[in-house]
Amino acid sequence: MAVVSQPSSEVSTSLQDLAKRHLWLHFARMGAYEHQEVPIIVRGEGCYVYDEHGNRYLDGLSGLFCVNAGHGRTELGEAAARQVEELDFYTLWSYAHPRAIELAARLAELAPGDLNRVFFTSGGSESVESALKLARNYHRILGKGQKHKVIAREIAYHGTSLGALSATGITELRSQFEPLTPGGCHVPNTNTYRWPQDREPLWAADAIEERIVFEGPETVAAVILEPVQNAGGCFVPPDGYFQRVREICDRHDVLMISDEVICAWGRLGHYFGCERFDYVPDIITVAKALTSAYAPMGALIASDTVAEPFMEGTASFAHGFTFAGHPLASAIAMANLDVFEREDLCGHVLAKEAEFRGMLETLHELPIVGDVRGAGYFQAVELVKDKETKESFDHEESEELLRGFLSGELYKRGLICRADDRGDPVVQLAPPLIADSEQFEEIHEVLHDVLSEAWKRVRR
């Protein structure tokens, strides 16, 4: 791990004190910081970030699946600065401004099929919330007001606002805030590692139709799916899965939403994850890497068919956010897409994917590694107690393995990734799209050593 010049201890101490007293971290057990430091990241460059003590870390999670173009892109900041000189802010509530118009046109050009209408948001949960409201409103405006339910997959994560949380399929995230917005229904995911060998490959797609029929097609508004499911550890679909889902949605007059908050913008080697698996949804939700996270921004992209009822007469989609399509965020997004085109980041991911995946596959030699799965620069390693039986860890064992050892040890050795047990225990990796052989080697070295030590602890 490289070390740079140390900041003054006074500054470091002050930041720690202020963080512990005033900053409420997200999805964090705040009590854990009573006797240990809050990790404070102060600088980023390329695939790396640096903490307040000058320690360097390989950002193997791209911030949170979002700094796709890498850290320290000053040209993105310069685009924002130029925009401030022209127009600092104006709302999209019945008004428009040049950057939002230009960006919407650019996204429509990149999107597949007839997905030509772009509704901006400020982030991922807002994009999903907007898509669910649009699906309900679309059916209602056509005289089908009973269609309000949404079909999602078990363990899938679709956001934290109450509407989006109704689609999220993670019990512990939902139960604390119930009752949720009504209408969320869940079906099996595509964790093929846990399927019996003789299971029909498209049974999980057929389960969606079974649930639609059970609920009553006249009550179901939409099906929402990620191209590669994040929670649970990068579940990829079997061949033909999304084509079958598309057929099911069309048969029952149900909208198909592709939740690409993570999977868009090159993560799977394409601008949109649906392109990777060759399907065209009715709505795509995006956020995160639309700006490579240099500013908060999201969007839903709707087909002309879905948008059409709202484009006539006195109709209106009565929904919006103050900062959605912000001029600075729009300018940064345009500059970010310029980087993608100039450096062919999608092409780079496709060219290097096999090397990245091959590096992770070598970890199969470790007895604790049960499965390696994913697509593009979005991969997961599932940890098991027994490779032959695929026996997993119970809750107490996962707690000790992931939070008691792995998360801290990986960070200590200079690698930021996700050790998670929403489902079975996994380590997830999603480096910036500029990552190359040098970073793959670093990831392998740290993962091999830490997982080897983890297995020793399991045996003890």
Side-chain angles (χ1 to χ4, degrees):
M1 181 194 306
V3 177
V4 298
S5 58
Q6 300 279 346
S8 70
S9 59
E10 291 81 3
V11 171
S12 177
T13 301
S14 175
L15 284 173
Q16 284 293 332
D17 291 344
L18 291 173
K20 292 182 179 183
R21 177 64 184 91
H22 299 292
L23 184 60
W24 198 336
L25 301 177
H26 296 205
F27 284 99
R29 300 175 179 179
M30 295 303 295
Y33 301 111
E34 183 177 359
H35 301 296
Q36 67 182 46
E37 288 190 342
V38 175
I40 300 177
I41 304 300
V42 299
R43 186 167 71 86
E45 182 178 354
C47 292
Y48 300 91
V49 293
Y50 299 80
D51 70 12
E52 59 174 333
H53 303 298
N55 299 313
R56 189 184 80 169
Y57 304 88
L58 174 55
D59 187 1
L61 206 60
S62 299
L64 193 60
F65 312 106
C66 52
V67 189
N68 285 15
H71 297 277
R73 294 274 189 176
T74 56
E75 63 264 45
L76 302 192
E78 291 164 359
R82 289 193 299 271
Q83 181 59 45
V84 170
E85 294 178 357
E86 178 184 325
L87 175 67
D88 50 358
F89 172 73
Y90 220 77
T91 182
L92 295 184
W93 290 45
S94 302
Y95 298 88
H97 57 80
R99 294 300 87 74
I101 297 168
E102 293 163 358
L103 180 59
R106 193 167 184 178
L107 299 189
E109 183 179 359
L110 291 172
D114 70 338
L115 280 86
N116 292 311
R117 287 288 181 172
V118 180
F119 186 95
F120 287 113
T121 71
S122 302
S125 290
E126 287 187 4
S127 294
V128 170
E129 193 84 15
S130 300
L132 298 182
K133 288 181 71 174
L134 177 59
R136 286 188 176 193
N137 210 181
Y138 167 77
H139 290 296
R140 184 177 296 274
I141 205 171
L142 295 180
K144 305 170 187 175
Q146 267 193 293
K147 294 177 80 70
H148 69 283
K149 296 174 184 175
V150 58
I151 309 293
R153 295 186 288 198
E154 294 168 354
I155 314 179
Y157 177 86
H158 292 290
T160 55
S161 55
L162 283 177
L165 196 57
S166 69
T168 290
I170 304 170
T171 302
E172 56 268 31
L173 294 187
R174 295 161 54 88
S175 59
Q176 302 175 61
F177 305 103
E178 291 176 334
L180 306 177
T181 303
C185 308
H186 294 86
V187 295
N189 55 49
T190 60
N191 183 7
T192 57
Y193 177 65
R194 294 288 172 184
W195 289 4
Q197 289 187 351
D198 60 351
R199 175 161 283 174
E200 215 289 318
L202 297 183
W203 82 277
D206 292 335
I208 293 174
E209 183 163 40
E210 292 171 8
R211 187 61 186 263
I212 291 173
V213 172
F214 174 80
E215 296 294 332
E218 71 281 1
T219 71
V220 179
V223 170
I224 184 168
L225 309 167
E226 298 164 277
V228 174
Q229 183 173 316
N230 171 36
C234 300
F235 297 153
V236 295
D239 292 342
Y241 174 86
F242 280 108
Q243 288 71 31
R244 179 69 62 82
V245 173
R246 178 72 272 181
E247 294 169 3
I248 291 167
C249 288
D250 290 341
R251 186 155 51 243
H252 296 289
D253 188 24
V254 170
L255 297 183
M256 184 180 185
I257 303 171
S258 190
D259 182 358
E260 307 206 11
V261 170
I262 289 176
C263 291
W265 315 123
R267 181 55 56 193
L268 306 185
H270 300 269
Y271 280 106
F272 297 97
C274 59
E275 296 176 285
R276 172 79 182 230
F277 300 107
D278 193 27
Y279 67 96
V280 179
D282 299 295
I283 299 171
I284 297 176
T285 57
V286 297
K288 290 187 183 289
L290 174 55
T291 64
S292 280
Y294 282 58
M297 191 176 210
L300 73 78
I301 309 171
S303 70
D304 287 334
T305 300
V306 172
E308 184 179 6
F310 301 94
M311 303 298 153
E312 303 171 346
T314 60
S316 170
F317 182 37
H319 175 64
F321 305 97
T322 299
F323 298 121
H326 195 290
L328 270 67
S330 299
I332 290 172
M334 291 288 283
N336 180 54
L337 292 175
D338 288 343
V339 171
F340 269 71
E341 291 183 7
R342 185 172 65 248
E343 300 183 15
D344 188 18
L345 293 186
C346 292
H348 178 72
V349 170
L350 293 176
K352 304 297 290 188
E353 174 182 4
E355 182 183 345
F356 181 38
R357 177 60 172 266
M359 174 275 291
L360 294 174
E361 293 282 1
T362 66
L363 297 173
H364 271 301
E365 68 184 27
L366 301 177
I368 199 172
V369 173
D371 192 29
V372 176
R373 56 181 177 256
Y377 275 23
F378 189 34
Q379 303 283 341
V381 177
E382 182 170 333
L383 309 180
V384 294
K385 290 169 66 175
D386 189 308
K387 292 169 76 82
E388 294 299 319
T389 64
K390 301 182 182 179
E391 181 184 2
S392 190
F393 298 88
D394 62 30
H395 177 75
E396 185 177 336
E397 291 168 334
S398 291
E399 180 76 16
E400 175 59 29
L401 176 65
L402 297 178
R403 296 170 188 84
F405 175 68
L406 275 178
S407 294
E409 190 66 17
L410 289 167
Y411 183 75
K412 178 182 176 182
R413 299 200 191 193
L415 176 62
I416 296 175
C417 55
R418 169 176 274 180
D420 193 29
D421 61 350
R422 291 178 295 179
D424 297 299
V426 296
V427 174
Q428 280 184 290
L429 293 139
L433 308 189
I434 59 174
D436 212 322
S437 302
E438 177 184 353
Q439 285 74 42
F440 302 159
E441 291 172 8
E442 290 182 48
I443 291 171
H444 180 269
E445 181 179 356
V446 173
L447 274 183
H448 188 279
D449 290 351
V450 174
L451 292 180
S452 296
E453 177 60 29
W455 178 248
K456 293 177 184 177
R457 288 171 173 259
V458 169
R459 295 294 299 274
R460 289 199 294 267

